[in-house]
Amino acid sequence: MCGIAGIYPFHTSADSHHLKTTLEHMLATLYHRGPDEGGMLLDKNFAMGMTRLSIIDLSGGQQPISNEQGDMWVVFNGEIFNFVELRTLLQKAGHRFSTHTDTEVIIHAYEEFGLNFVDHLNGQFAIAIWDSRARQLILARDRVGIRPLFYTEHNGSMYFASEMKALATANRFPLEIDFRGLSQIFTFWVNLPPRTIFRDIHELPPGHLMTVSDKGIAQYPYWNYRFPTDGIFPIRSRKHARTILREQLLEATRLRLRADVPVGAYLSGGLDSSLISAIVKQYFNDKLETFSLAFHNPHYDERPYQEQMAKHLGTRHHVVEINENDIAELFPMAVWHAEKPLLRTAPAPLFALSRLVREHHIKVVLTGEGADEIFAGYNIFKEDKIRRFWAKAPESEWRPMVLAKLYPYILQEKGSVSPFWKQFFRRHLTETDHPFYSHLLRWENGMHFSRFLAPDARIALTLEDHIEELWNLIPYEYSRWHPLNKAQFLEAALFMNGYLLSSQGDRMMMGNSVEGRFPYLDHRLIDFAAQLHPDLKLHGLTGKFILRQAFPELLPPEILNRPKQPYRAPIASVFLSQHTPEIIRELLQEDALKRFGYFNPAAVARLTQKLLQNPVPSARDEMAITFIVSLQILHWQFIEHFQPAMTIDMNKFKIVQMNHKEETNAVF
Amino acid sequence: MNQDVKTTIREFIVENFLFGDTSVVFDDDDSLMENGILDSTGILELVAFLEKEYGIRIANEEILPENMDTLNNLHRFLEKKMKLEQAS
């Protein structure tokens, strides 16, 4: 696990000393991603480098690493889990290896397969390959977006890096908020790649390759979620599905334990992470250490389930308890790492959890991320199913009552659905042919947030305008997919990439130099799950049905049959209490709001007043205050007071200077 | 009861749900829910406000769109409600 960065000047003759210094500054901002060592490759008119968190081949794995001739080099962030198998394959094809790393496998695979090399990788990665013969840079990002990669063009050069702060450091070019990106976050809760919250900074979309040469920049999709079309599902038998799932999940977990350092696991108390820990304990490692997040506030706490599971497994279990003040203290740090406005405070406690892992000298953890998307665990999938059922008889009194199984609070005392809730869920009820039927109600809620914006920060965009941009991400055959599969795609491509794997995943873990690994997101498992008949995933209203069936012997029934509990953290009490840190209070003051120019101070004052008076704040008001606080922090950290670390200890760096005259490479 | 009921409620809505945003135009007959002005939690906030402002008790079964989803509905509902209270 690491941070990578690089500079490709187009057509210009860049000063090599300047390139090196700029790269050094960029890498300094990525130190937290790889505190163990680093490396640089310096060629004529090109530079790239990395900071390394050593996990595989601790002593021999320093990057950059080259092919046999030393004319192709790679730096990369992440893991190639099938590197052992690939290495054997490539050795048979005549490639000679000089390290035991997964990194070296990438460069030989590129030599062997060209741009198709990426199809052979099972992993989580952001890769940069410098092919000096062709003077071409190749960037690649893993299929579902586990590892980040951003790029920008500025003053005739192309810059790339694992985090946006490194791009801002290069040449000190000032960041600006992209108002279209801002409006997008209201709507979808995330940005649609390649757009980010910063103007002119782009995210390389998951499952994409990119080439950069003097001919310019080109992008190629190499993978996307694919589902069967027209209702033809290859796997319908429960028994068959269960057998394959057992094999695949064991294999995905086994590969993700490959490391030359100990691997721990998160235990949330839910089914998904409990099952992964149980598999590890049962099949692979009897000395597993597990880590859990507990909340002081019992409303959010899942400690009883976590403790039950840890006891059941007999792991060495560690817990960190978080209260409202901790969240407030950690929140600015969470924004610094997430690099985008947040609608929830939930990333902050996860920063404390990865810190706990680090304190116990563990660098790698397995988590249950991805199961809800690929096996359909979320309420939104059930809501979609129920509303489609209701839409067939819109006047039915009892059909909407099924919704109360998901949202018990919509029922009145006498047992019927509250008329206002009914009215809420009735919107667009019969538009079941709408391509985004499952998510339409949520996306429409975005309007609420724009009320807090200052006139200059508002742009007149409708939901239709945003949906037009969304179509760029939608696969060709989408319209022929089953409704459940469509909703699964939207959850995975939007919220999982843009929030769960990034703001709650990579960034909160790497902030403490901890690497997350996600067995459910093995692409073979994803492709398998896509073949399943929808009833095997959402069975009646039981989500993740086949997953619950697959390993019943490993889990206590209370965990196995537990309904999904969304992971949430307190909000209003965090930002508006007497313990709220000074910086957050200041950023909510009228002069800071006016100075930054995004928000209407009177509207923000009304909101905070309302939240202070209201003991049970509404969800959308809580999201609004989180959004306001986080954007204010983001501006303060990245625009008004941008002060990244500018130096890094180069003593631990491997510096490769390519020297074309002598056709050799001096390694210092 | 007079025209001021609608003005008072309108002011409350603009203040409490639109946070002073006067660019949102809604007529006395426009649905507050369908226009995204009120959400379901908002209804409960509105009920609490009406009870306090007008010294009435609103029963759960009275929390209906036909009583509360537009300013005109709210006006009619309150008028009826106040008459009943006076009568009893």
Side-chain angles (χ1 to χ4, degrees):
Chain A
M1 276 307 294
C2 317
I4 63 172
I7 309 156
Y8 183 103
F10 291 105
H11 309 297
T12 53
S13 201
D15 168 47
S16 59
H17 177 72
H18 177 70
L19 271 187
K20 187 179 172 217
T21 315
T22 306
L23 181 61
E24 197 180 319
H25 292 164
M26 292 172 81
L27 292 175
T29 64
L30 301 175
Y31 174 75
H32 56 278
R33 298 185 69 89
D36 295 332
E37 54 186 34
M40 280 186 181
L41 174 83
L42 305 168
D43 195 357
K44 188 168 171 283
N45 241 9
F46 177 75
M48 68 180 185
M50 58 95 64
T51 60
R52 181 175 183 230
L53 181 67
S54 314
I55 287 170
I56 289 174
D57 194 351
L58 303 185
S59 56
Q62 197 159 18
Q63 301 179 25
I65 282 178
S66 73
N67 63 347
E68 297 90 336
Q69 293 78 28
D71 53 14
M72 296 177 190
W73 292 82
V74 62
V75 292
F76 111 106
N77 162 213
E79 303 293 342
I80 309 302
F81 296 119
N82 62 336
F83 74 102
V84 180
E85 294 76 9
L86 265 179
R87 185 187 161 100
T88 311
L89 186 92
L90 291 162
Q91 276 172 329
K92 278 189 189 148
H95 294 268
R96 284 174 292 115
F97 284 76
S98 49
T99 73
H100 295 278
T101 59
D102 52 343
T103 315
E104 195 178 3
V105 163
I106 297 173
I107 201 73
H108 292 294
Y110 170 66
E111 268 191 306
E112 185 66 27
F113 305 115
L115 288 182
N116 294 332
F117 78 101
V118 74
D119 295 327
H120 297 263
L121 309 179
N122 181 348
Q124 46 191 47
F125 48 81
I127 294 170
I129 294 172
W130 175 239
D131 185 339
S132 72
R133 298 165 318 173
R135 284 201 60 79
Q136 177 166 256
L137 168 70
I138 296 106
L139 299 176
R141 193 163 171 224
D142 64 59
R143 295 170 178 82
V144 298
I146 298 171
R147 295 299 158 227
L149 195 55
F150 300 94
Y151 64 96
T152 188
E153 286 175 68
H154 182 68
N155 277 349
S157 291
M158 182 273 183
Y159 300 82
F160 68 89
S162 297
E163 295 185 14
M164 294 190 270
K165 51 178 77 71
L167 300 177
T169 311
N171 283 341
R172 311 283 296 159
F173 87 86
L175 292 174
E176 271 178 67
I177 296 292
D178 173 358
F179 290 135
R180 196 176 176 115
L182 200 63
S183 176
Q184 221 168 47
I185 290 188
F186 297 158
T187 309
F188 303 117
W189 302 1
V190 294
N191 284 123
L192 305 179
R195 190 182 293 280
T196 71
I197 192 63
F198 294 115
R199 192 185 288 187
D200 299 327
I201 292 193
H202 319 284
E203 171 185 348
L204 179 62
H208 275 64
L209 279 166
M210 173 166 160
T211 57
V212 186
S213 70
D214 283 349
K215 288 181 211 130
I217 291 178
Q219 280 190 19
Y220 312 92
Y222 70 88
W223 186 91
N224 208 339
Y225 299 91
R226 284 191 63 192
F227 292 95
T229 47
D230 307 326
I232 303 163
F233 290 96
I235 306 175
R236 291 165 174 267
S237 142
R238 196 184 295 185
K239 201 174 152 213
H240 180 47
R242 189 175 170 270
T243 311
I244 306 179
L245 173 54
R246 281 184 72 99
E247 277 167 25
Q248 294 246 7
L249 189 55
L250 282 180
E251 174 67 1
T253 310
R254 183 181 72 85
L255 288 187
R256 277 157 188 77
L257 291 166
R258 283 182 170 167
D260 295 329
V261 294
V263 177
Y266 279 0
L267 210 48
S268 74
L271 167 70
D272 312 336
S273 61
S274 297
L275 181 53
I276 296 297
S277 293
I279 288 175
V280 174
K281 190 78 172 45
Q282 176 74 25
Y283 292 93
F284 304 114
N285 174 12
D286 196 37
K287 294 196 185 69
L288 181 68
E289 296 198 35
T290 48
F291 300 86
S292 288
L293 187 59
F295 285 97
H296 181 70
N297 183 335
H299 180 68
Y300 303 95
D301 196 41
E302 294 186 65
R303 208 165 347 196
Y305 292 102
Q306 296 161 353
E307 281 168 0
Q308 182 191 7
M309 199 56 215
K311 207 171 150 205
H312 175 83
L313 294 174
T315 59
R316 261 189 77 192
H317 190 57
H318 312 278
V319 180
V320 57
E321 189 193 87
I322 296 292
N323 63 28
E324 271 81 347
N325 297 344
D326 300 324
I327 296 174
E329 296 284 343
L330 288 170
F331 194 71
M333 184 63 96
V335 174
W336 171 251
H337 286 294
E339 305 188 303
K340 58 177 81 159
L342 301 170
L343 298 170
R344 296 176 179 174
T345 55
L350 287 167
F351 186 80
L353 181 59
S354 68
R355 192 167 62 193
L356 176 76
V357 171
R358 193 67 191 179
E359 281 163 7
H360 287 85
H361 309 290
I362 300 261
K363 285 183 183 177
V364 182
V365 284
L366 303 187
T367 89
E369 211 61 77
D372 283 316
E373 288 79 5
I374 75 166
F375 292 111
Y378 292 129
N379 269 347
I380 195 161
F381 304 133
K382 302 175 195 170
E383 182 188 305
D384 179 66
K385 192 174 186 176
I386 298 168
R387 286 181 71 240
R388 285 174 189 278
F389 167 70
W390 176 15
K392 288 179 191 156
E395 299 315 317
S396 162
E397 280 297 318
W398 69 271
R399 287 191 181 213
M401 280 171 65
V402 189
L403 284 166
K405 284 195 190 284
L406 313 183
Y407 315 114
Y409 48 83
I410 69 172
L411 281 190
Q412 291 176 317
E413 282 155 22
K414 57 186 188 222
S416 58
V417 176
S418 139
F420 279 99
W421 275 112
K422 203 161 159 183
Q423 198 180 352
F424 174 80
F425 285 113
R426 256 193 110 94
R427 281 186 296 152
H428 307 291
L429 181 68
T430 52
E431 298 168 32
T432 48
D433 286 336
H434 193 289
F436 308 116
Y437 184 73
S438 56
H439 284 65
L440 213 48
L441 292 187
R442 312 230 166 154
W443 293 347
E444 280 191 339
N445 271 337
M447 244 168 42
H448 179 66
F449 299 109
S450 61
R451 288 176 190 140
F452 301 99
L453 292 181
D456 289 349
R458 286 190 196 191
I459 47 173
L461 286 177
T462 62
L463 178 57
E464 283 68 35
D465 297 324
H466 286 304
I467 284 180
E468 207 171 298
E469 193 168 327
L470 172 65
W471 276 111
N472 296 331
L473 303 180
I474 303 297
Y476 176 64
E477 290 176 322
Y478 179 87
S479 63
R480 292 166 61 193
W481 292 352
H482 186 278
L484 176 66
N485 296 153
K486 286 181 186 165
Q488 283 184 279
F489 172 83
L490 294 174
E491 276 301 304
L494 302 185
F495 199 58
M496 187 174 84
N497 170 53
Y499 177 77
L500 293 174
L501 290 176
S502 46
S503 299
Q504 272 192 195
D506 175 87
R507 310 321 184 71
M508 292 311 119
M509 292 179 177
M510 289 314 296
N512 286 304
S513 314
V514 169
E515 169 180 302
R517 295 183 178 182
F518 316 102
Y520 294 111
L521 293 176
D522 185 304
H523 70 278
R524 295 169 307 175
L525 192 62
I526 296 175
D527 289 340
F528 153 74
Q531 307 296 309
L532 295 172
H533 189 279
D535 279 351
L536 293 171
K537 292 188 253 191
L538 185 52
H539 189 75
L541 288 180
T542 305
K544 296 182 282 198
F545 177 72
I546 197 69
L547 193 62
R548 292 176 204 274
Q549 301 267 315
F551 294 89
E553 77 281 10
L554 290 185
L555 300 173
E558 301 81 33
I559 302 279
L560 199 59
N561 302 320
R562 218 186 138 194
K564 167 91 194 149
Q565 152 126 6
Y567 163 67
R568 292 283 152 80
I571 292 181
S573 50
V574 166
F575 295 131
L576 301 170
S577 90
Q578 46 184 338
H579 303 294
T580 301
E582 197 52 36
I583 178 68
I584 294 179
R585 291 161 183 260
E586 267 177 36
L587 290 172
L588 285 175
Q589 298 289 320
E590 186 176 349
D591 63 318
L593 292 164
K594 269 192 179 152
R595 201 165 73 240
F596 297 177
Y598 305 117
F599 297 108
N600 170 359
V604 175
R606 284 187 177 96
L607 175 67
T608 52
Q609 209 50 42
K610 182 178 171 188
L611 286 167
L612 281 169
Q613 286 162 359
N614 197 337
V616 191
S618 78
R620 70 179 191 180
D621 287 346
E622 289 206 310
M623 283 170 88
I625 191 71
T626 312
F627 180 78
I628 293 164
V629 170
S630 58
L631 183 60
Q632 287 292 100
I633 293 175
L634 194 75
H635 182 97
W636 186 75
Q637 290 175 334
F638 284 83
I639 297 172
E640 193 174 69
H641 278 85
F642 187 58
Q643 288 172 332
M646 295 295 276
T647 55
I648 188 164
D649 179 8
M650 300 290 282
N651 286 323
K652 290 192 290 183
F653 266 58
K654 169 186 178 182
I655 298 179
V656 178
Q657 179 83 53
M658 294 190 73
N659 185 337
H660 287 279
K661 276 182 202 147
E662 295 163 27
E663 291 296 324
T664 56
N665 302 302
V667 177
F668 303 107
Chain B
M1 288 294 282
N2 49 40
Q3 185 61 32
D4 280 345
V5 169
K6 275 197 271 189
T7 314
T8 311
I9 299 175
R10 184 179 275 277
E11 273 169 11
F12 172 75
I13 287 170
V14 170
E15 186 78 9
N16 203 59
F17 300 113
L18 301 178
F19 302 93
D21 180 1
T22 46
S23 71
V24 182
V25 182
F26 59 102
D27 287 338
D28 293 357
D29 274 322
D30 284 345
S31 161
L32 299 172
M33 282 287 276
E34 270 162 31
N35 290 295
I37 294 165
L38 280 189
D39 63 355
S40 320
T41 321
I43 294 291
L44 300 181
E45 289 169 21
L46 179 63
V47 168
F49 168 77
L50 296 175
E51 289 187 339
K52 194 165 160 228
E53 184 75 19
Y54 297 104
I56 50 174
R57 286 285 304 148
I58 298 174
N60 277 341
E61 46 280 11
E62 290 174 311
I63 306 177
L64 297 170
E66 49 265 42
N67 286 342
M68 300 192 175
D69 194 35
T70 69
L71 279 175
N72 279 338
N73 288 357
L74 279 159
H75 184 216
R76 257 196 310 275
F77 170 66
L78 281 173
E79 222 165 32
K80 202 171 71 190
K81 196 79 184 159
M82 310 277 275
K83 266 186 200 146
L84 278 173
E85 299 253 324
Q86 275 165 9
S88 63

